[in-house]
Amino acid sequence: MHLAYPAVLAALLFCVGLYGVLARRNAILVLMSVELMLNAVNLNLVAFDVWLRDTLHSGQALTLFTIAIAAAEIGIGLAIVLAVYRNRGTSDIDRLRDTAETDEAEKLPDTAETDPADADADADAGGTEPTPGRADGKTGKTKKAEATT
């Protein structure tokens, strides 16, 4: 068998994978494209191992190692994509780049600066305990009670 056939096939697979990494916006499709690129490398490793007639079969051994690393990479990559999708609601790479953390977090009001006396006065007026995470320390029930009085 000629070495050119698997080398050309591997080059085509690698180019398709590279196009997928550069052109796709969906994170899962990018991970699939990376897998195509790794499989092209594996095909080259096995083809050159057969062509060189290596007695240790080091190309095939390295291919098995690469497959194990690729499986771990896909597992971790999918876990990250699922976590990002649950938090942000999208796996679109362009949208994730636009929502990167900036200095706006420093401009948000601090929720720890609420006055505890306001929370006690609201509780006495028929409301409930202050809701954690609200800047004003009030709940919807307290606002309804204030609106009716």
Side-chain angles (χ1 to χ4, degrees):
M1 179 168 94
H2 294 286
L3 183 62
Y5 297 131
V8 168
L9 180 62
L12 289 174
L13 275 176
F14 193 85
C15 289
V16 169
L18 185 65
Y19 173 75
V21 167
L22 296 176
R24 296 293 176 186
R25 293 183 179 165
N26 191 348
I28 294 176
L29 291 178
V30 170
L31 287 173
M32 289 173 58
S33 299
V34 169
E35 286 296 316
L36 271 177
M37 293 168 64
L38 287 173
N39 284 330
V41 170
N42 289 339
L43 183 61
N44 269 335
L45 284 171
V46 171
F48 278 97
D49 182 49
V50 170
W51 185 64
L52 294 173
R53 296 187 179 131
D54 187 18
T55 57
L56 294 176
H57 300 293
S58 55
Q60 294 177 18
L62 190 58
T63 298
L64 290 175
F65 182 71
T66 307
I67 289 171
I69 295 296
E73 174 255 335
I74 275 297
I76 292 171
L78 283 176
I80 290 171
V81 168
L82 286 174
V84 167
Y85 182 78
R86 286 181 183 166
N87 288 335
R88 306 278 175 120
T90 185
S91 64
D92 188 10
I93 294 174
D94 290 336
R95 286 188 180 176
L96 296 178
R97 191 178 309 137
D98 293 340
T99 58
E101 291 185 26
T102 59
D103 293 334
E104 293 179 15
E106 297 173 2
K107 297 178 184 176
L108 294 175
D110 189 17
T111 57
E113 295 180 8
T114 58
D115 190 13
D118 291 340
D120 291 338
D122 291 336
D124 292 340
T128 60
E129 292 294 320
T131 304
R134 295 257 329 237
D136 56 358
K138 299 178 182 178
T139 62
K141 293 180 182 178
T142 305
K143 288 187 178 183
K144 288 180 185 176
E146 290 175 355
T148 57
T149 57

